[in-house]
Amino acid sequence: MPPRQDVPGTVTGARRALADAVRFVRGAGTAEALARVPGAPAGLARHLEFTHAALAVTGDDVRDVVDALAGLGGAVHDPGEAHVVRGRVEGCPRGVEVAVLPGPAADGHRLVFTATTDDDVLLRGVHATLLDAGLRPDGGDHDGDATSLRFRGPTDVELRLPGRRPALLTRHTGPPDRPQRAMLDLMTGAWRTRAVAAVAELGVADLLVDGPRTTADLAARTGALESRLHRLLAFLAALGVFHRDGDRWSLTDVGAMLRRDAEGSQRDLARIYGGLFYHSFTGLEHTVRAGGSAFEHVYGVRPFEHFAANPADARLFEGAMAAGTSFLDLVPRLLDLPERGTVVDVGGGDGRLLGAVLGAGPGLRGIVFDRPHVVAAGRRVLDELGCGDRAEVVAGDFFHDPVPAGADLYLLSRIMHDWADERCAVILRNVRAAMPRGAVLALVERPIREDRPSPLPLAFNVHMMVNTVEGGERTTEQHRDLLAANGLTLEDVRDLPLDMAVLVARATG
């Protein structure tokens, strides 16, 4: 036999993982184990019992795992054909389960809980609560007279229920055609995008403000063909955009977002995502293979060159970007605003964020710092918001010109995701040069949160790859490293709607 290699993934290399698991099982009750599951409420402990920790390791000789577990204080059962070693941990009622797998290095562990109730309503509630905590279904099965449901998350979980529960198992794992249905849903996403864009262009939501209308009425008012409009509305009603009552249609709270006058209206977003940016995504494969901007590959020019030559698209883009700023009014409450001092919004555009901050801090003064052709709009908006007497606009380029110095708080809202690290470092160095020691920088971005899996930041990461030259979203750790490399310490991440966040950093050194 070849000598055993002491590398991660082998039985010998997994001894530390086994020891950690035994130590945890010996010292942790149900409440302590649940605390390892982010988002799981402590109240679940009333209905669950933590029974064991399960691990997977790579190895050829199951006996080595038996010996290792026995040496750590486990009363070991002989493995069965599945090469699973189970053992009780000395001094407690819980145990450890180790799956010994051949092939490439195995990696994984999960906490196993057994339900202490057989009440169907309570069990459905426990299942729903774990999903609400952000865990994702990861398979399940019937094991004799019990049901096992597995969840994937920052901490993987297995939930074991008494009895055979086919309805709950199907709810957890999905119907037999779930993979095909899920893939079909992904592939037809473009149909949904274009359907929403079409009714946004037709202005259907605005026609339903005063109440339900028939298909014939809507067709006459929009200049559409009645039978075809009916098919479109029926599809969108199934998606929750409209409510259908026979041949009458009304708005849902989702569909109301397509009204022109809705607070936080997303009508222009629907039009640009289903139009200009819809077509730019046809260059996605090109940018993945060759790099560069898919937008430029499709349209022949960079985005802002296109907007300069196409005023109608430029107005649509401005409206779409305004739709994405409704959360800005929530930013001030997440900032530790001083009673008096100065706030500088670097790349502050039309001044709306600064206006919101000054509105929340009546003793503050502010500066919008942006390019010369932008600052005129900033002056107008600040006057409209009633804080023009406490604010000024300063023309400059944050890559080349000195940032106004000596302020207490600096803002960078949705700037970093437009640029590669090297360019962001220039911006941060220029801002840091203006900041006195202890001053605060607040970044408003959509970070990719490894502790909170969500497809939205990842989707926008691809969107930025397609529609900018060098932009993209960053993980929280990437933001932390970029800030640290430029004299700033990330102190906190404070949540905003739609997976946006305020990243609070302080000047150091």
Side-chain angles (χ1 to χ4, degrees):
M1 292 179 63
R4 191 183 312 281
Q5 294 178 322
D6 188 9
V7 297
T10 66
V11 171
T12 304
R15 281 183 188 277
R16 181 173 297 176
L18 285 170
D20 288 344
V22 169
R23 188 180 305 112
F24 178 74
V25 165
R26 183 175 284 128
T30 300
E32 291 82 4
L34 274 174
R36 293 289 186 96
V37 183
L44 277 182
R46 296 195 302 270
H47 308 299
L48 300 177
E49 180 185 356
F50 173 45
T51 57
H52 64 277
L55 297 85
V57 300
T58 295
D60 298 319
D61 190 346
V62 177
R63 180 55 55 183
D64 284 344
V65 176
V66 173
D67 293 343
L69 192 53
L72 293 166
V76 182
H77 301 288
D78 285 335
E81 293 182 1
H83 300 287
V84 175
V85 180
R86 297 181 178 89
R88 287 287 180 186
V89 174
E90 183 181 2
C92 78
R94 293 171 293 278
V96 173
E97 177 181 291
V98 186
V100 184
L101 306 175
D107 179 24
H109 65 276
R110 64 184 184 275
L111 303 181
V112 182
F113 298 88
T114 297
T116 57
T117 177
D118 62 358
D119 184 278
D120 280 336
V121 174
L122 285 176
L123 292 177
R124 287 198 299 270
V126 170
H127 178 259
T129 300
L130 291 173
L131 295 179
D132 288 344
L135 298 179
R136 305 183 305 280
D138 190 39
D141 50 53
H142 287 123
D143 181 9
D145 290 330
T147 302
S148 177
L149 308 178
R150 293 181 290 277
F151 300 80
R152 177 75 66 180
T155 298
D156 292 348
V157 168
E158 181 174 342
L159 179 60
R160 294 190 173 177
L161 313 176
R164 295 177 68 85
R165 300 182 184 274
L168 188 53
L169 180 61
T170 298
R171 177 182 296 188
H172 183 73
T173 61
D177 65 349
R178 182 193 60 79
Q180 296 94 329
R181 184 178 295 273
M183 180 53 68
L184 195 58
D185 284 343
L186 290 172
M187 292 188 295
T188 58
W191 303 355
R192 296 192 290 271
T193 301
R194 284 297 303 141
V196 171
V199 295
E201 292 287 358
L202 291 169
V204 172
D206 293 315
L207 296 173
L208 297 176
V209 170
D210 297 325
R213 293 184 184 275
T214 65
T215 307
D217 187 5
L218 292 170
R221 292 171 183 269
T222 60
L225 296 174
E226 180 180 348
S227 63
R228 303 211 164 195
L229 180 60
H230 184 277
R231 289 158 70 172
L232 176 60
L233 296 175
F235 175 43
L236 290 171
L239 296 175
V241 179
F242 301 109
H243 175 71
R244 180 181 183 179
D245 182 9
D247 191 44
R248 294 172 65 81
W249 312 92
S250 57
L251 287 175
T252 64
D253 57 348
V254 174
M257 291 292 95
L258 297 178
R259 288 169 38 195
R260 293 174 188 268
D261 61 349
E263 183 177 353
S265 170
Q266 294 180 321
R267 178 176 181 269
D268 285 343
L269 271 179
R271 294 170 64 208
I272 201 166
Y273 285 170
L276 188 74
F277 290 158
Y278 182 88
H279 295 295
S280 66
F281 258 82
T282 63
L284 177 57
E285 182 181 349
H286 171 83
T287 195
V288 170
R289 289 181 179 274
S293 162
F295 188 102
E296 185 174 0
H297 174 71
V298 172
Y299 291 102
V301 294
R302 294 188 174 191
F304 288 105
E305 294 170 346
H306 174 89
F307 293 134
N310 296 271
D313 283 348
R315 288 192 298 271
L316 177 60
F317 178 73
E318 290 168 2
M321 293 305 97
T325 61
S326 58
F327 62 85
L328 291 182
D329 289 339
L330 303 177
V331 171
R333 71 183 66 174
L334 300 182
L335 301 174
D336 303 316
L337 297 176
E339 291 187 9
R340 299 189 178 280
T342 302
V343 181
V344 177
D345 191 353
V346 180
D350 63 8
R352 291 189 184 277
L353 176 56
L354 180 64
V357 172
L358 295 183
L364 297 173
R365 300 189 63 81
I367 299 170
V368 172
F369 178 74
D370 212 326
R371 292 162 297 172
H373 70 278
V374 175
V375 291
R379 167 53 60 197
R380 183 179 67 255
V381 169
L382 290 166
D383 288 339
E384 290 173 356
L385 294 175
C387 54
D389 59 331
R390 294 186 287 127
E392 59 180 304
V393 294
V394 175
D397 182 326
F398 49 50
F399 286 117
H400 306 291
D401 299 318
V403 173
D408 304 274
L409 172 64
Y410 288 80
L411 307 172
L412 275 172
S413 177
R414 300 189 303 171
I415 300 294
M416 304 285 281
H417 75 161
D418 286 330
W419 306 102
D421 285 357
E422 296 78 10
R423 301 276 274 169
C424 284
V426 174
I427 299 170
L428 291 174
R429 284 197 296 270
N430 288 341
V431 173
R432 177 62 186 89
M435 297 173 68
R437 181 181 174 85
V440 169
L441 170 64
L443 304 176
V444 180
E445 295 287 343
R446 184 177 272 113
I448 299 170
R449 304 281 292 272
E450 296 178 357
D451 63 331
R452 192 177 307 169
S454 169
L456 194 57
L458 299 171
F460 274 97
N461 197 24
V462 175
H463 171 77
M464 297 300 291
M465 178 175 68
V466 167
N467 291 301
T468 68
V469 176
E470 53 182 283
E473 309 297 347
R474 293 176 172 84
T475 67
T476 304
E477 288 307 309
Q478 287 171 331
H479 279 292
R480 188 188 308 277
D481 292 344
L482 192 54
L483 289 163
N486 293 282
L488 296 148
T489 299
L490 180 62
E491 294 187 340
D492 201 6
V493 180
R494 301 170 184 176
D495 294 338
L496 285 165
L498 299 176
D499 292 326
M500 296 295 294
V502 178
L503 294 90
V504 181
R506 194 174 299 274
T508 57

